[in-house]
Coordinates of all heavy atoms in Angstrom, one line a residue:
D18 N 4.6 -0.2 -1.4 CA 5.5 0.8 -0.8 C 6.3 -0.1 0.2 O 6.0 -0.1 1.4 CB 4.8 1.9 -0.1 CG 5.7 3.0 0.3 OD1 7.0 3.0 0.1 OD2 5.3 4.0 1.0
P19 N 7.3 -0.8 -0.2 CA 8.0 -1.8 0.6 C 8.5 -1.4 1.9 O 8.2 -2.0 2.9 CB 9.1 -2.3 -0.3 CG 8.7 -2.0 -1.7 CD 7.9 -0.7 -1.6
E20 N 9.2 -0.3 2.0 CA 9.9 0.1 3.2 C 8.8 0.7 4.2 O 9.1 0.8 5.4 CB 11.0 1.2 3.0 CG 12.2 0.6 2.4 CD 12.2 0.6 0.8 OE1 11.2 1.0 0.3 OE2 13.2 0.1 0.2
A21 N 7.7 1.1 3.7 CA 6.6 1.6 4.6 C 5.6 0.5 4.9 O 4.6 0.8 5.6 CB 5.9 2.8 3.9
F22 N 5.8 -0.7 4.5 CA 5.0 -1.9 4.9 C 3.5 -1.7 4.5 O 2.6 -2.1 5.2 CB 5.1 -2.1 6.4 CG 6.4 -2.0 7.0 CD1 6.8 -0.8 7.7 CD2 7.3 -3.0 6.9 CE1 8.1 -0.7 8.3 CE2 8.6 -2.9 7.4 CZ 9.0 -1.7 8.1
R23 N 3.3 -1.1 3.3 CA 1.9 -0.8 3.0 C 1.7 -0.9 1.4 O 2.6 -1.0 0.7 CB 1.5 0.6 3.4 CG 2.4 1.6 2.7 CD 2.1 3.0 3.2 NE 3.0 4.0 2.5 CZ 2.8 5.3 2.6 NH1 1.9 5.8 3.3 NH2 3.6 6.1 1.9
I24 N 0.4 -0.9 1.1 CA -0.1 -0.9 -0.3 C -0.8 0.4 -0.4 O -1.7 0.7 0.4 CB -1.0 -2.1 -0.6 CG1 -0.3 -3.4 -0.3 CG2 -1.4 -2.0 -2.1 CD1 1.0 -3.7 -1.0
L25 N -0.5 1.2 -1.4 CA -1.2 2.4 -1.7 C -2.2 2.2 -2.9 O -1.9 1.5 -3.8 CB -0.2 3.5 -2.2 CG 0.9 3.8 -1.2 CD1 2.0 4.7 -1.8 CD2 0.3 4.5 0.1
V26 N -3.4 2.8 -2.8 CA -4.4 2.5 -3.8 C -4.8 3.9 -4.4 O -5.1 4.8 -3.7 CB -5.6 1.8 -3.2 CG1 -6.7 1.5 -4.2 CG2 -5.2 0.6 -2.4
F27 N -4.8 3.9 -5.7 CA -5.1 5.1 -6.5 C -6.2 4.8 -7.6 O -6.3 3.6 -7.9 CB -3.9 5.6 -7.3 CG -2.7 6.0 -6.4 CD1 -1.8 5.1 -5.9 CD2 -2.6 7.4 -6.1 CE1 -0.7 5.6 -5.1 CE2 -1.6 7.8 -5.3 CZ -0.6 6.9 -4.8
T28 N -6.8 5.8 -8.1 CA -7.6 5.6 -9.3 C -6.5 5.5 -10.4 O -5.4 5.9 -10.2 CB -8.5 6.8 -9.6 OG1 -7.7 8.0 -9.8 CG2 -9.5 7.0 -8.4
T29 N -6.9 5.1 -11.6 CA -6.0 5.1 -12.7 C -5.6 6.5 -13.3 O -4.8 6.6 -14.2 CB -6.5 4.2 -13.8 OG1 -7.8 4.6 -14.2 CG2 -6.5 2.7 -13.4
T30 N -6.3 7.5 -12.7 CA -5.9 8.9 -13.1 C -5.0 9.5 -12.0 O -4.6 10.7 -12.2 CB -7.1 9.7 -13.4 OG1 -7.9 9.7 -12.2 CG2 -7.9 9.2 -14.6
G31 N -4.7 8.8 -11.0 CA -3.7 9.3 -10.0 C -4.3 9.8 -8.7 O -3.6 10.3 -7.9
Q32 N -5.6 9.7 -8.5 CA -6.2 10.2 -7.3 C -6.0 9.1 -6.2 O -6.4 8.0 -6.3 CB -7.7 10.4 -7.4 CG -8.4 10.8 -6.2 CD -9.9 10.9 -6.3 OE1 -10.5 10.7 -7.4 NE2 -10.6 11.2 -5.2
F33 N -5.4 9.6 -5.1 CA -5.2 8.7 -3.9 C -6.5 8.3 -3.3 O -7.3 9.2 -3.0 CB -4.3 9.3 -2.9 CG -4.1 8.5 -1.7 CD1 -3.2 7.4 -1.7 CD2 -4.8 8.8 -0.5 CE1 -3.1 6.6 -0.6 CE2 -4.6 8.0 0.6 CZ -3.7 6.9 0.6
L34 N -6.7 7.0 -3.1 CA -8.0 6.5 -2.4 C -7.8 6.1 -1.0 O -8.5 6.6 -0.1 CB -8.6 5.3 -3.2 CG -9.0 5.6 -4.7 CD1 -9.4 4.4 -5.4 CD2 -10.1 6.7 -4.7
Y35 N -6.8 5.2 -0.7 CA -6.6 4.7 0.6 C -5.3 3.9 0.6 O -4.7 3.6 -0.5 CB -7.8 3.9 1.2 CG -8.1 2.7 0.4 CD1 -7.6 1.4 0.8 CD2 -9.0 2.7 -0.7 CE1 -7.9 0.3 0.1 CE2 -9.3 1.5 -1.4 CZ -8.7 0.3 -1.0 OH -9.1 -0.8 -1.6
S36 N -4.9 3.5 1.8 CA -3.8 2.6 1.9 C -4.1 1.5 2.9 O -5.0 1.7 3.7 CB -2.5 3.3 2.3 OG -2.6 3.8 3.6
F37 N -3.4 0.4 2.8 CA -3.6 -0.6 3.9 C -2.3 -1.3 4.1 O -1.4 -1.3 3.3 CB -4.7 -1.6 3.5 CG -4.4 -2.4 2.2 CD1 -3.7 -3.7 2.3 CD2 -4.8 -2.0 1.0 CE1 -3.5 -4.4 1.1 CE2 -4.6 -2.7 -0.2 CZ -3.9 -3.9 -0.1
G38 N -2.2 -1.9 5.3 CA -1.0 -2.6 5.8 C -0.2 -1.7 6.7 O -0.3 -0.5 6.7
D39 N 0.6 -2.3 7.5 CA 1.6 -1.7 8.4 C 2.6 -2.7 8.8 O 2.6 -3.9 8.3 CB 0.9 -1.1 9.6 CG 0.2 -2.1 10.5 OD1 0.7 -3.2 10.7 OD2 -0.8 -1.7 11.1
Y40 N 3.6 -2.4 9.6 CA 4.7 -3.3 9.9 C 4.2 -4.6 10.6 O 4.9 -5.5 10.7 CB 5.8 -2.6 10.7 CG 5.4 -2.2 12.1 CD1 5.7 -3.1 13.2 CD2 4.7 -1.1 12.4 CE1 5.3 -2.8 14.5 CE2 4.3 -0.7 13.7 CZ 4.6 -1.6 14.7 OH 4.3 -1.3 16.0
T41 N 3.0 -4.6 11.2 CA 2.5 -5.8 11.9 C 1.8 -6.7 10.9 O 1.6 -7.9 11.3 CB 1.5 -5.4 13.0 OG1 0.3 -4.8 12.4 CG2 2.1 -4.5 14.0
T42 N 1.5 -6.3 9.7 CA 0.8 -7.2 8.8 C 1.6 -7.5 7.5 O 1.5 -8.6 7.0 CB -0.5 -6.6 8.4 OG1 -0.3 -5.3 7.8 CG2 -1.5 -6.4 9.6
I43 N 2.4 -6.5 7.0 CA 3.2 -6.7 5.8 C 4.7 -6.4 6.2 O 5.0 -5.3 6.4 CB 2.8 -5.8 4.7 CG1 1.3 -6.0 4.3 CG2 3.7 -6.0 3.5 CD1 0.7 -5.0 3.3
T44 N 5.5 -7.5 6.2 CA 6.9 -7.3 6.5 C 7.6 -6.6 5.4 O 8.4 -5.7 5.6 CB 7.5 -8.6 6.9 OG1 6.7 -9.3 7.8 CG2 8.9 -8.5 7.5
L45 N 7.4 -7.2 4.2 CA 8.1 -6.6 3.0 C 7.3 -7.0 1.7 O 7.3 -8.1 1.3 CB 9.5 -7.1 2.8 CG 10.3 -6.6 1.7 CD1 10.5 -5.1 1.8 CD2 11.7 -7.3 1.6
A46 N 6.5 -6.0 1.2 CA 5.7 -6.2 0.1 C 6.6 -6.4 -1.2 O 7.1 -5.4 -1.7 CB 4.7 -5.1 -0.1
G47 N 6.7 -7.6 -1.6 CA 7.5 -7.9 -2.8 C 6.8 -8.0 -4.1 O 7.4 -8.2 -5.1
G48 N 5.5 -7.9 -4.1 CA 4.7 -8.0 -5.3 C 3.2 -7.9 -4.9 O 2.8 -8.1 -3.8
V49 N 2.4 -7.5 -5.9 CA 1.0 -7.4 -5.7 C 0.2 -7.8 -7.0 O 0.7 -7.6 -8.1 CB 0.6 -5.9 -5.3 CG1 1.0 -4.9 -6.4 CG2 -0.9 -5.8 -4.9
A50 N -0.9 -8.5 -6.8 CA -1.7 -8.9 -7.9 C -3.2 -8.8 -7.5 O -3.5 -8.9 -6.3 CB -1.4 -10.3 -8.3
V51 N -4.1 -8.7 -8.5 CA -5.5 -8.7 -8.2 C -6.2 -9.7 -9.1 O -5.7 -10.0 -10.2 CB -6.1 -7.3 -8.4 CG1 -5.6 -6.3 -7.4 CG2 -5.9 -6.8 -9.8

């Protein structure tokens, strides 16, 4: 979620689990990999 400085985490069925990051840790999330 680039403009909100965070990563959202869901189950693969769409249940929201948690998020992490804020403007002090992620300036602009341009990609994600695991």
